[in-house]
Amino acid sequence: MTELRNVKAELLRFRRRILAVGLVVVLAFGLVASRLVVLQVGRHDELAGRAESNRTAVIPIVPNRGLILDRNGEVLASNYSAYTLEITPSKVPDLEATIDELAKIVEISPRDRRRFKKLTEESRSFDSLPLRTRVTDEEVARFAVQRYRFPGVDIKARLFRSYPFGELGSHVVGYIGRINQREKERIDDSDDAPNYRGTDYIGKLGIEQSFERQLHGATGVEQMETSAGGRAIRRLASHPATPGQTVVLSLDIRLQKLVEDLFGPRRGALVAIDPRTGEVLAFVSKPTFDPNLFVEGIDQENWSALSESIDKPLLNRALRGTYPPGSTYKPFMAMAGLELGKRTPQTTIVDNGTYLFGDHRFRSHGDGGLGTVDLFRAIQHSSNVYFYSLANELGVEAMHDFMAPLGFGQITGIDINGEVRGVLPNQEWKRRTYKRPEQKKWFGGETISLGIGQGYNSFTMLQLASATATLANRGVKQTPHLGLAVQDPVTGARTPLPPPAPEDLHYKRSNVEAVVRGLVGVAQGGTSTKVFAGASYVSAGKTGTAQAVTVGQKERYDKARLAERQRDHGVYMAFAPADAPRIALAVIVENGGWGAGVAAPIARRVLDYWLDGIYPSEEDIASMQKGLAGKPIGTPRRAADVPLPGSTVAMPGAEDLAAAAPEPGPVEVAAAFREVVASLPAPAPVQAAAPTAAPAAARAKAAAVAAPAPMPVSTAAASTRLAAVGAPP
């Protein structure tokens, strides 16, 4: 029997299915349409911005760093443009093997390897780090044709910092170095973060650090249109970088060189100041170091030599070295006695060679002493007994309160970072410093030693020079400073840096003149008479001998029996002309012995240079370096006729420095490489340490070329094209 179909029921089911499918289709199209509305209307601005961002790339333009000049326009820090061979460690599977292969194309020294290793330890793996700096045009061309074999390796044209005088003035000029992680975090947390985009370097020491804001300049930006693969097509907009300002210092680099030459291999410091303005004329710390070693990251060998040296060449002795001032403290003690009413210029003390305090005998000048001395003779012949008794009369608190405004044991406020305070002791200082109760107590005998600049007294040469300048300026204190002006690199307009306001300590003029007369007597009949014999000017000064180790009460100081580093330091403070001073200074020669024998002769040559324009003879300098010269010997030279040392780093001329281009972006360098490759035959391939992802066509082309041919004449044309994107000619 045949089953009859229900056509009507099947048709109904079919229509229901068609309706369901239609609803699904309509719903799907509705969802698509709604999504389109959201994307095209609701999120139009956001997505348009993303599209523009994908289409364009913003590249920071690093500004040229400003120059540093001395007061006479001599360049102390400059820039030059050169190529660097750089590696991004995160993109290189085997660093050592890659470097070995690169060494077959570009010369890489052991020092380059050590420096790169140190940089990799201090930097992030995705940073581009220099392996070799100052790559020649020929080496650039050789690497260009092998570029495909070295992913993560690139050539960049960069501006390099250079210190033309090398070690000369290194502690005051300072140096720049790569930004470390701590500095990066500090920058990121500050308002300066946008200005350091694309910048790898920052001032680390001295003027480079203290004037970083002026020297750095303002970072520019360049907007480039890019393809889907990230390749630049054309420049859309550009905002040029603003070069850093030129910083002009009060320093006289020729005077600086003279002092450093006079020290020779000896250790010590000297600070010379114009007492009328506070301008620092010389700021010497010996020994020195070469700041060029730090620019691209110092290698371990050189770092160990500097950091482990017993002479501590990295210590800025003028700013951070603290010493007992010895007898150079006595003029300021004399001022305290006069100003506080404890003494008059006519007050006399009998100096019989010793000063008895309780059961302790403080020694002076031998068993005979100096006899009856007033203030003039006490300063002129450096009577210890006079100042022992004065210290006892004043007391430690009065001495502390009088010396603090002069700058002893205080931050002077000089415009470079890192200054230390030193120690100007009093009872509160001792309570804070020591832990055990019996150590916290102040004893009367400790006050006595302070009167002759010994005991707990410990100051920097900067503080002693500043106090000397205040005395020379008749009680008006000027803050010492190195910055003289900033100069616009484009217009050349110079803007003076406003000096800090002077401070009048309100000393009685007759008291100051009484002390100055004693200081003049030191150079005319006193302890430095022989050194200043024949000088064309009248100077005021004071010798000093600062103990490096304590000598027992019943012992005698015997230089011959002591190791070199246990011998006394020689100190001298001076200013001239005495009636209207134009220069004041303080100098110390570590372990040099008596101040009149080693420190005063250096001061004499400095005053001769500054006041008379005289430069010592070669014979005199050689004798000074051995600590043998007193007054000048040989035939002096005119300072203007003595040439400054040449540059220690190969650099372009001044015109090139002024026109040094900012670092080009990778787009321009890549374009230059293509031109180089087009103009040169490729050398034969070298077996790489690991397979690369270079295109097959490029590998086949390289393999088809025979042994490398000599560099053709067309290299010059290719180098010219590279120079157009920022490389040196």
Side-chain angles (χ1 to χ4, degrees), residues 466-479:
S466 179
T468 301
T470 300
L471 187 59
N473 208 28
R474 276 46 181 183
V476 178
K477 182 170 71 172
Q478 300 280 2
T479 301

Side-chain angles (χ1 to χ4, degrees), residues 139-215:
E139 289 172 323
V140 170
R142 285 205 303 268
F143 174 78
V145 295
Q146 298 284 342
R147 169 70 182 83
Y148 70 91
R149 296 178 46 232
F150 299 100
V153 183
D154 208 346
I155 291 282
K156 292 188 178 181
R158 289 187 180 273
L159 283 178
F160 287 86
R161 197 63 161 172
S162 172
Y163 303 98
F165 296 116
E167 295 189 3
L168 179 58
S170 57
H171 285 101
V172 60
V173 175
Y175 60 86
I176 68 167
R178 295 183 71 87
I179 297 173
N180 59 37
Q181 188 59 35
R182 184 174 60 183
E183 290 164 337
K184 185 180 185 307
E185 292 172 357
R186 175 174 56 80
I187 291 171
D188 289 344
D189 292 338
S190 71
D191 295 336
D192 292 332
N195 200 34
Y196 280 83
R197 290 183 57 196
T199 302
D200 295 326
Y201 301 92
I202 195 170
K204 298 279 189 176
L205 196 71
I207 294 297
E208 290 279 28
Q209 180 187 48
S210 301
F211 285 79
E212 169 68 22
R213 187 178 295 274
Q214 292 89 340
L215 291 166

